[in-house]
Amino acid sequence: MSYKPRPEDCAFVLAGLCSLTLSVVVGLPAAEWLVRHATYWVLLASIGAFFYSGYRVAAERKAALGNWAQSLYDGRYMVLILLIVAAIYSLQPNSYKVVMDEPLLVASSRQMHLDKELYVPKSCYELGGAFYNFDGYVDKRPGFFPFLLSLLHDLTGYRSGQGFVLNALLVPALVLLTATLCGRLWPDCGKWIGPLLLVTVPLVSLVANSSGYDFLNVVLLLSLLLLALQFYEYPGTWTLSALLWASVLLAHTRYESALYLLPVLLIVALRSFFLKRTFFHWTSCLMPFALLPVVLLMRVIGGQE
């Protein structure tokens, strides 16, 4: 069976070429302006696309999802998971661990909360009892972690310790993702041994009780691995969409994490080649534009250096 390009395939390639061209031809001042003013809205659209794609995958794989949820109903297993989560919480105190990163991330989240812009305030003053900032700069750290903090600020008001809250909320997700992946690699004992091994790694508790973006990066990386396995075993339009949008969010978390796009695209290309068909959805065609702030940020930081 020969391959016939679909309109979605052409749209994805065209979007990639347009995004690549824009990342090259846009000047540094315009690039800095776009990173500062567009990142918040790009991330808002990306996280919406990711959750909608995940919802469609869950609807298609309802039986498998039900079996996974049923496996967690074992009382002994739930006690183990809760004990592991409690151990990760208790092994380290909540405190800034990387003092050059974490206060800047909190400062960026405050501006995303107040102004919907990604920048670090540089000059701040109190005038008439009100606190103002008059200047700022685009930091080298991508915006997804400050974006999530800004959502917490929107819900509960600005607090400098929201990073500890966010990482604490991610601990159960890390444990469950580890259990799921280890259970797939070793069906008999993996879901028991994998989470237990987390407690033996001091760095897990250290990062979980910090206010940095490293813990979010690990959670997204495990999510990406799980979605890649799902796409390889059960390729589908919405599975690919969820995989691509998860890679976008990961790329917006740490500057090095953009490299994980390469194995994701390789898996998609190989699976499509062997099946002689593609699985792009129209929502996936916007994914190259969602990566534009990451590329422009790299250019801006390179220009500053």
Side-chain angles (χ1 to χ4, degrees):
M1 184 176 64
S2 61
Y3 165 71
K4 293 183 179 179
R6 299 160 57 233
E8 294 90 338
D9 306 340
C10 300
F12 183 83
V13 173
L14 183 61
L17 292 175
C18 290
S19 179
L20 183 62
T21 303
L22 285 173
S23 67
V24 174
V25 302
V26 171
L28 283 180
E32 184 172 355
W33 188 92
L34 285 170
V35 170
R36 176 167 173 165
H37 292 85
T39 297
Y40 181 92
W41 306 107
V42 168
L43 287 172
L44 186 64
S46 299
I47 199 170
F50 170 70
F51 278 113
Y52 181 72
S53 301
Y55 166 77
R56 295 298 299 264
V57 172
E60 292 176 355
R61 300 282 299 157
K62 190 178 298 184
L65 187 63
N67 293 334
W68 173 79
Q70 189 175 5
S71 68
L72 299 179
Y73 288 154
D74 184 353
R76 295 174 302 168
Y77 190 64
M78 288 304 299
V79 169
L80 174 67
I81 295 296
L82 292 174
L83 288 175
I84 291 173
V85 170
I88 293 174
Y89 287 149
S90 62
L91 289 175
Q92 283 285 333
N94 284 336
S95 61
Y96 288 152
K97 305 299 193 298
V98 184
V99 293
M100 284 301 294
D101 281 0
E102 297 170 28
L104 292 179
L105 291 170
V106 174
S108 298
S109 72
R110 179 179 180 273
Q111 301 316 124
M112 296 187 88
H113 164 58
L114 295 175
D115 304 326
K116 312 306 180 193
E117 297 177 11
L118 178 62
Y119 71 99
V120 177
K122 187 165 59 175
S123 301
C124 302
Y125 304 94
E126 184 176 352
L127 300 175
F131 192 73
Y132 298 93
N133 58 274
F134 294 92
D135 194 10
Y137 63 93
V138 174
D139 187 50
K140 67 178 181 178
R141 297 156 188 84
F144 189 46
F145 186 80
F147 171 78
L148 292 180
L149 289 186
S150 74
L151 296 183
L152 287 179
H153 299 328
D154 293 340
L155 291 174
T156 63
Y158 172 75
R159 293 179 177 84
S160 60
Q162 295 281 36
F164 305 120
V165 176
L166 178 58
N167 282 333
L169 293 174
L170 292 173
V171 170
L174 175 74
V175 176
L176 290 175
L177 284 169
T178 303
T180 303
L181 287 168
C182 292
R184 297 189 67 165
L185 294 173
W186 189 4
D188 294 331
C189 303
K191 74 173 188 177
W192 295 87
I193 294 178
L196 283 171
L197 290 176
L198 288 176
V199 188
T200 68
V201 182
L203 193 60
V204 172
S205 182
L206 185 74
V207 176
N209 290 282
S210 72
S211 186
Y213 49 26
D214 301 284
F215 201 74
L216 174 64
N217 195 71
V218 173
V219 170
L220 287 174
L221 185 57
L222 293 181
S223 302
L224 191 71
L225 180 57
L226 188 61
L227 286 169
L229 289 173
Q230 182 74 17
F231 175 75
Y232 187 82
E233 294 176 356
Y234 306 100
T237 298
W238 290 110
T239 309
L240 175 58
S241 181
L243 176 62
L244 292 178
W245 287 110
S247 65
V248 168
L249 296 178
L250 182 62
H252 278 276
T253 303
R254 279 189 65 99
Y255 23 83
E256 305 95 336
S257 296
L259 294 174
Y260 290 109
L261 288 166
L262 298 178
V264 167
L265 294 177
L266 180 62
I267 290 171
V268 173
L270 289 176
R271 200 63 177 141
S272 300
F273 174 77
F274 288 119
L275 294 176
K276 298 294 189 293
R277 60 164 298 192
T278 57
F279 301 91
F280 291 111
H281 188 266
W282 287 109
T283 56
S284 306
C285 300
L286 299 174
M287 172 255 193
F289 292 109
L291 291 170
L292 192 56
V294 177
V295 181
L296 292 178
L297 178 61
M298 294 178 182
R299 282 195 58 207
V300 170
I301 300 307
Q304 291 175 352
E305 294 176 350

